[in-house]
Amino acid sequence: MVEIAIRIPVIDLGTCTDCEGCLEVSPSVFQRNWVTGLIEVAELDSYPEKEVEEAIKYCPADSIQWEDR
Ligand code: SF4
């Protein structure tokens, strides 16, 4: 079986300022975990590249980046 790596966005919570910008730009990917209160990435089979790129550009703290899985 061939495994296909998918790219997933990850948030560096150490630098995230909780500005909610990514929630506005890409609400299907970024969400608030109401238990922890932190911003998190939704569990999706694949991530919409354009939306995530927008969020990466928008993030004032440069806290979002792609990671290969
Ligand atoms: S845009 Fe960046 S700093 Fe703002 S909540 Fe999202 S990850 Fe955090």
Side-chain angles (χ1 to χ4, degrees):
M1 197 174 109
V2 180
E3 279 200 22
I4 299 169
I6 66 159
R7 287 169 96 203
I8 68 160
V10 291
I11 300 169
D12 177 356
L13 291 173
T15 57
C16 169
T17 59
D18 207 10
C19 74
E20 298 195 346
C22 53
L23 305 189
E24 283 172 34
V25 173
S26 183
S28 66
V29 175
F30 300 95
Q31 59 194 21
R32 184 175 298 283
N33 180 317
W34 291 106
V35 177
T36 64
L38 301 171
I39 308 291
E40 66 180 15
V41 174
E43 297 253 347
L44 303 176
D45 290 335
S46 66
Y47 293 89
E49 181 138 359
K50 252 187 160 177
E51 259 191 51
V52 173
E53 290 293 340
E54 275 301 300
I56 288 172
K57 265 191 255 163
Y58 189 91
C59 177
D62 284 336
S63 301
I64 306 168
Q65 57 185 0
W66 287 111
E67 211 169 73
D68 288 327
R69 280 285 155 90

